[in-house]
Every structure is written in C-alpha cells, then in structure tokens.
Amino acid sequence: MQLEAVVRRLELEELYTDYVHCLDADELEHWPDFFTEDCFYRVTSAENYEAGMPLGLIHATSRNMLKDRVSALREANIYEPQRYRHLVSSIKIREEHRDWLDLVANFMVVRTMQEGDMTLFAAGRYLDQLRRQNGTWKFAVKNVVLDSRQIDTLLAIPI
Amino acid sequence: MQLEAVVRRLELEELYTDYVHCLDADELEHWPDFFTEDCFYRVTSAENYEAGMPLGLIHATSRNMLKDRVSALREANIYEPQRYRHLVSSIKIREEHRDWLDLVANFMVVRTMQEGDMTLFAAGRYLDQLRRQNGTWKFAVKNVVLDSRQIDTLLAIPI
Amino acid sequence: MQLEAVVRRLELEELYTDYVHCLDADELEHWPDFFTEDCFYRVTSAENYEAGMPLGLIHATSRNMLKDRVSALREANIYEPQRYRHLVSSIKIREEHRDWLDLVANFMVVRTMQEGDMTLFAAGRYLDQLRRQNGTWKFAVKNVVLDSRQIDTLLAIPI
C-alpha cells in the first residue's frame, strides 16, 4: 500500500464521518450536498434488497428530490424531540476505479427520546457508489440496507 | 493530504483507542493521565450543553480533581460488577492549530450486568480540545455530551 | 510514525473489516480462511477468561475444527432467519514483533430477528494474536471475550 492508497482510505473515513455528523446534528439542509446531482438514494430492508425490489422506505433519484424531502420533513414539523447517534464501522472498498468506488460499511443508529429512553433504532449496511467530482467524493448511489424489515418512525428520516 | 496529516489522524485514533480501553479495563487510576493538569472535564446532557449550562453530572477543572474522583469511586466500593464497553466512531477534527485541536467523536457505551443483561448505557458525542505536550496529545477540554438527559448509574463513572 | 507503521495500521483495520463482513454476510465457508492452520479460536466470557478457564462456548485448536463447525452449523439447518451486524472499534496493537502482533479490539453485535426485533446480541473484546503468512495477516489466536456470561443463541455461531 502506498501513500496514495492510505490517503484515499482516510478520505473515505472522513466522508462517512462528515455524513453522520451532519445527520446527528440535524443539519439536514446540508445532507443533499453529499450526493451527486443525479444520485440514487434509497432506504430499504435487506429482504427487499436481496429480492431485487426496486423501491424502499425512502427512494430518490436526484439531489433535488433529497432537498424536497428535507423541506417536507421541516414542514411536517412533527414534534419529535429525539436524537439520533450513528456509529459506522468496517468501511470496505469493494471495487475501485479511477473516478468511482464501490463501498460497503456497517452502521448502527441509536435513538434517544427526550425522556431519556435509548433504543437501537437501526442497524445495517451502506452499499454505496462514490464518484469523484472536483476533488471531492460524492455519493452517486447510496443504498441504506436495514437488517430489519420495518423501522419505527413517523416520518422516514435520512439515515 | 500529506503523510504528516495521515500520521496525525492515526495518532488521534490511537488516543481515543487507549482512552476507551483504559475505561473498559477499569484501569481508572490511569484515566487522569489522558488529561492536562489544568483540564476541564464534564459529563453533561445535550440539552444542558446546548442551553449553555455550565455544570453537569461530573464536573472537574483539573487533573487532580479527576484523581480525587477515582479515589472516591474506589473508596465508595459499591459492589457494581457490571462491565462497560465503549465504541467510538467518526472522529472529526473541527479546528486545527499547531499545538491544539478541536474534535468531535461519536460514542456508545454498552453495560453488561453480572447476570448477563446488556443495555445501551450511553450514547452521545465527545466535544474535546486536545493540546500537544511533550509530543503527546492530552485532553485539555473534554465534554462528554450525552444524548439523554439522565443516566442510570449509582455513581457517576468516567465515560 | 512512518509510512510503514501507517500501512500496518490500515492492514489491520482491513483484516477486521473483512472478518466482520464475512460473518455478517453469512459467508461462513470463508471464515476459516482468516485463521492459520494451527490456530486457536475461542468464544468465552470475561469471567472465565480472567479466571484462566481454558474452555469456552466455542473452542477450536485448528482451522480444520473451524471448518467442521461451519459444516455442523449448515447441517443443523435450524431455521434461524436472524441477521447479525458487527461493529468494531478501538483496535489496538498491544505487542508488536516482526511476524506477529498482539491485538485487542472492542466489538458489539446487533441481532435482528425476521420480525424486526433488534437486540444487543453481544459486546466484548477480541484478544487476538496475528501471524504474517505469505504477506497476509492471519489469526493465530482469537479469543472472543464476551462481557456477558451467557449468550442467547441456539447454536454457538462464530463471532
């Protein structure tokens, strides 16, 4: 492994780090910036993913659709004072090309309700394709594949 | 990113790694060594942190106060045979200067009781300031910001 | 820290990453490949580990025994449609030699049942010895030390 490969690895770590801090800090307005304009984003279950089912809990085929979703979430304005905390582990490059990468990473999300109850909210894999644009890695494809078939939430939030 | 930046990143990973192994191995006597002499250490809730409330569940303004706390914990000698397991993820440098750094990192702590019950004990962020002293990074400020308002513990243990 | 040390650190991260993806993807047939031929593998409790008890929930003294275990798990064919998700954190080199390393790492496993119930299945430490063979790190010793004394499973699966 050369310095170049080392740097790439740390860049990827950094991307996932920034991504989860954006979500956990509820800075959802910045969330679409992690994606390419023509991105594909989906939250789905492992079962549906493996069966090749195209849809999911959330499904978007452009960055603009992600922005719309954030607006919808803000307008819905449901009083949900919970906090989310992501843990990401085991980021792995599965395929590597000059300008794009295929990755898998494990994640877990803990939800804390205002009264203090903590629950495992979600666990699963990110199955992502990254594209390099102007020196930055962006998600061209992001499949959030939940181990569970269902997710306990009023509104489908980004994960 | 140059080799220097890469090395720094791994040094920081190492610091958090050593920190959590110290706590999980119940080697609390070494815990104050991770801090500067004039450190600020606090365990608080996200709610209080965001409201600018100065105090917390634990609050110390020097390494000696941390040592006192360890002594108090040992003397209290409450029979609590549980084990704690920390997971740290998404360490991010927020501000970087020659001799100090501002960091955020996500953490989760699992508590296992002697009978085998496992619970999510804590989840939240470390909001830390590191200072470089004699070639080593020390915590000058460590804010342990819990997502929850309360924490289920008899004695406020270090996190 | 030189580039060589940096590369080693990333190699180790990669090994644990590959290891957990192998398990989480239920590709158990590849699991023994992570071990040396004369490996020692054990799943045990912290209590038994600290008391020096030699046995455990799973105990194997060669790669062939690991293969046998996988065959047994496949033949048992108990319908257990759950999914496991590993998170690994805080990998630490405890001792370092030319061709072998002593490591500790924290882990957590989330189990998701088909109906969607998620539970903390296991938390603990890996206490491992790695040996370098033909340019690859293999587990010569792997102690999976669970914080809990018991584990809720019908069949002792690899962790």
Side-chain angles (χ1 to χ4, degrees):
Chain A
M1 209 187 298
Q2 296 305 311
L3 181 57
E4 213 179 317
V6 168
V7 166
R8 166 157 305 179
R9 292 278 294 276
L10 293 183
E11 281 173 358
L12 300 177
E13 293 273 355
E14 205 165 84
L15 175 69
Y16 283 86
T17 290
D18 288 344
Y19 184 85
V20 306
H21 285 303
C22 171
L23 294 183
D24 292 346
D26 193 30
E27 296 173 348
L28 300 187
E29 282 69 19
H30 296 300
W31 172 61
D33 299 340
F34 288 96
F35 294 85
T36 61
E37 240 184 273
D38 60 343
C39 67
F40 175 85
Y41 175 82
R42 182 168 56 150
V43 180
T44 191
S45 67
E47 212 176 13
N48 283 356
Y49 183 82
E50 282 149 22
M53 309 277 275
L55 300 179
L57 282 163
I58 307 184
H59 184 263
T61 54
S62 74
R63 180 159 59 197
N64 280 335
M65 281 178 74
L66 298 179
K67 287 180 186 170
D68 284 352
R69 172 155 291 273
V70 173
S71 302
L73 280 165
R74 293 305 193 201
E75 278 158 21
N77 196 25
I78 293 177
Y79 185 60
E80 297 194 45
Q82 57 258 30
R83 290 174 192 278
Y84 297 91
R85 189 65 46 202
H86 286 66
L87 282 103
V88 175
S89 168
S90 306
I91 300 171
K92 179 175 172 56
I93 299 176
R94 297 197 299 168
E95 221 177 311
E96 187 162 7
H97 295 265
R98 196 181 151 79
D99 287 327
W100 64 272
L101 297 169
D102 233 59
L103 281 109
V104 59
N106 282 355
F107 69 85
M108 222 192 72
V109 186
V110 176
R111 178 170 66 179
T112 306
M113 308 306 282
Q114 200 171 22
E115 317 82 59
D117 286 347
M118 268 183 293
T119 46
L120 273 175
F121 175 67
R125 289 163 287 166
Y126 290 127
L127 288 169
D128 298 341
Q129 191 180 111
L130 298 179
R131 218 179 296 146
R132 195 156 184 94
Q133 290 189 336
N134 305 319
T136 312
W137 292 106
K138 300 271 186 189
F139 292 108
V141 178
K142 190 168 192 76
N143 285 289
V144 182
V145 183
L146 304 171
D147 287 340
S148 178
R149 274 193 297 188
Q150 53 204 10
I151 192 159
D152 166 37
T153 185
L154 286 175
L155 267 186
I157 55 153
I159 295 181
Chain B
M1 207 187 298
Q2 297 304 310
L3 181 58
E4 213 179 317
V6 168
V7 166
R8 167 159 304 181
R9 290 278 294 278
L10 293 183
E11 281 173 359
L12 300 177
E13 291 275 356
E14 205 165 86
L15 176 69
Y16 283 86
T17 290
D18 289 344
Y19 184 85
V20 306
H21 285 302
C22 170
L23 294 184
D24 292 345
D26 192 31
E27 295 173 350
L28 300 186
E29 282 70 18
H30 296 300
W31 172 60
D33 298 339
F34 289 96
F35 294 85
T36 62
E37 238 185 273
D38 60 344
C39 67
F40 176 84
Y41 175 82
R42 181 168 57 147
V43 180
T44 190
S45 68
E47 210 174 15
N48 283 357
Y49 183 81
E50 282 149 22
M53 310 277 275
L55 298 179
L57 283 163
I58 308 185
H59 185 262
T61 53
S62 72
R63 183 158 57 197
N64 280 334
M65 281 178 73
L66 298 180
K67 287 180 186 171
D68 284 352
R69 172 155 292 273
V70 173
S71 304
L73 280 165
R74 294 304 194 200
E75 277 158 24
N77 196 24
I78 292 178
Y79 184 60
E80 297 193 46
Q82 57 257 30
R83 291 174 190 277
Y84 296 92
R85 189 66 44 202
H86 286 67
L87 281 102
V88 175
S89 169
S90 305
I91 301 171
K92 181 177 171 55
I93 299 177
R94 298 197 300 169
E95 222 178 311
E96 187 162 7
H97 295 263
R98 197 182 150 78
D99 288 327
W100 65 271
L101 297 169
D102 233 58
L103 281 109
V104 59
N106 282 356
F107 69 85
M108 223 192 70
V109 186
V110 176
R111 178 171 65 180
T112 305
M113 308 305 282
Q114 200 170 22
E115 318 82 59
D117 286 347
M118 269 184 292
T119 47
L120 273 174
F121 176 68
R125 287 164 288 167
Y126 289 127
L127 288 168
D128 299 340
Q129 192 180 111
L130 297 181
R131 218 179 296 145
R132 196 157 183 91
Q133 289 188 336
N134 306 320
T136 312
W137 292 106
K138 301 270 186 189
F139 292 108
V141 177
K142 190 168 193 73
N143 284 289
V144 182
V145 183
L146 304 171
D147 288 339
S148 177
R149 273 194 297 189
Q150 52 205 10
I151 192 161
D152 165 36
T153 186
L154 287 175
L155 267 186
I157 54 152
I159 296 181
Chain C
M1 210 188 296
Q2 297 303 311
L3 181 57
E4 212 180 318
V6 168
V7 167
R8 167 159 303 182
R9 291 279 293 277
L10 293 183
E11 281 172 358
L12 300 177
E13 291 274 356
E14 206 165 85
L15 176 69
Y16 283 87
T17 290
D18 289 344
Y19 184 84
V20 306
H21 284 303
C22 171
L23 294 182
D24 291 347
D26 193 30
E27 296 173 349
L28 300 187
E29 282 69 18
H30 295 301
W31 172 60
D33 298 340
F34 288 96
F35 293 85
T36 61
E37 240 184 273
D38 59 343
C39 67
F40 176 85
Y41 175 81
R42 182 168 56 151
V43 180
T44 190
S45 67
E47 211 175 15
N48 283 357
Y49 182 82
E50 283 150 20
M53 310 276 276
L55 298 179
L57 282 162
I58 307 185
H59 184 263
T61 54
S62 73
R63 183 160 56 195
N64 281 334
M65 281 179 74
L66 299 179
K67 287 180 186 170
D68 284 351
R69 171 154 291 273
V70 173
S71 304
L73 280 164
R74 294 304 193 200
E75 279 159 22
N77 196 24
I78 293 178
Y79 185 60
E80 296 194 45
Q82 57 258 29
R83 291 174 191 278
Y84 296 91
R85 190 64 46 203
H86 285 67
L87 281 103
V88 175
S89 168
S90 306
I91 300 170
K92 181 176 171 57
I93 299 176
R94 297 197 299 170
E95 221 177 313
E96 187 163 6
H97 295 264
R98 195 181 153 77
D99 288 327
W100 64 272
L101 298 168
D102 233 58
L103 282 108
V104 59
N106 282 356
F107 69 86
M108 222 191 71
V109 186
V110 176
R111 178 170 65 179
T112 305
M113 307 307 281
Q114 201 172 20
E115 317 82 58
D117 286 348
M118 269 183 293
T119 46
L120 273 174
F121 176 68
R125 287 164 287 167
Y126 290 126
L127 288 169
D128 298 341
Q129 191 180 112
L130 297 180
R131 218 177 298 145
R132 195 156 183 92
Q133 290 189 336
N134 306 320
T136 313
W137 292 105
K138 301 270 185 190
F139 293 108
V141 178
K142 189 167 194 75
N143 285 289
V144 182
V145 183
L146 304 170
D147 287 341
S148 177
R149 271 193 297 188
Q150 53 206 9
I151 192 160
D152 166 35
T153 186
L154 285 177
L155 268 186
I157 55 152
I159 296 181

